[in-house]
Amino acid sequence: MTEEEIGRLHEDVSRAARARAILDDDMVKEAIDLLIREAQEGWEKTNAAAVDQREQFWRWLKVVRRFRDVFQVAVEHGEVARQMLGLEESERKAGMI
C-alpha cells in the first residue's frame, strides 16, 4: 500500500470519528427523530387526493434519512479503513512488506 493510500485511510478513520460524534450527539438524534416523525405524520395525515403535499412529505422524509445515512456511511468506511490499516501494520510487523 502506498503512503498516499495509507493517508487516505487515516483520513477515513478521522472522518468516521467525526461522523460518529455527530450521530451520537443527543441534540442531533432528537432533531433527526423529530424531522422523521413529523414527515411521516404529515404524509399519513394528508388526504390521499393531495398528491403534491404527500409527495413533499415523502421527499422530506427521504432527505432527512439520506442526511443521517451520509454520516453512517462515513462511519462504515472508517471501520473498513481501520481494519485495513490494522492489516497493513500486522504485515509490516511480520516483515511481509
Side-chain angles (χ1 to χ4, degrees):
M1 197 176 309
T2 68
E3 291 300 318
E4 184 177 327
E5 291 169 328
I6 292 170
R8 280 191 295 240
L9 291 174
H10 282 288
E11 177 60 28
D12 284 348
V13 170
S14 175
R15 288 172 50 84
R18 294 191 322 261
R20 173 54 58 205
I22 291 168
L23 288 173
D24 287 346
D25 184 280
D26 288 338
M27 289 186 69
V28 173
K29 285 181 191 179
E30 290 173 21
I32 289 172
D33 290 346
L34 174 68
L35 292 170
I36 288 173
R37 188 172 52 254
E38 286 181 351
Q40 287 174 329
E41 288 173 0
W43 182 81
E44 290 169 358
K45 292 177 181 178
T46 304
N47 185 323
V51 175
D52 289 340
Q53 283 181 311
R54 291 175 62 86
E55 285 182 0
Q56 184 176 355
F57 282 116
W58 180 250
R59 284 191 298 271
W60 180 12
L61 180 61
K62 299 296 279 182
V63 167
V64 173
R65 286 180 175 162
R66 178 67 181 122
F67 176 82
R68 179 194 58 205
D69 291 349
V70 166
F71 294 102
Q72 186 58 45
V73 167
V75 168
E76 292 167 7
H77 285 184
E79 290 170 0
V80 170
R82 186 175 295 110
Q83 291 172 4
M84 291 177 72
L85 287 167
L87 291 175
E88 175 81 12
E89 185 164 327
S90 297
E91 290 173 353
R92 284 180 199 254
K93 286 180 181 177
M96 299 172 82
I97 56 173

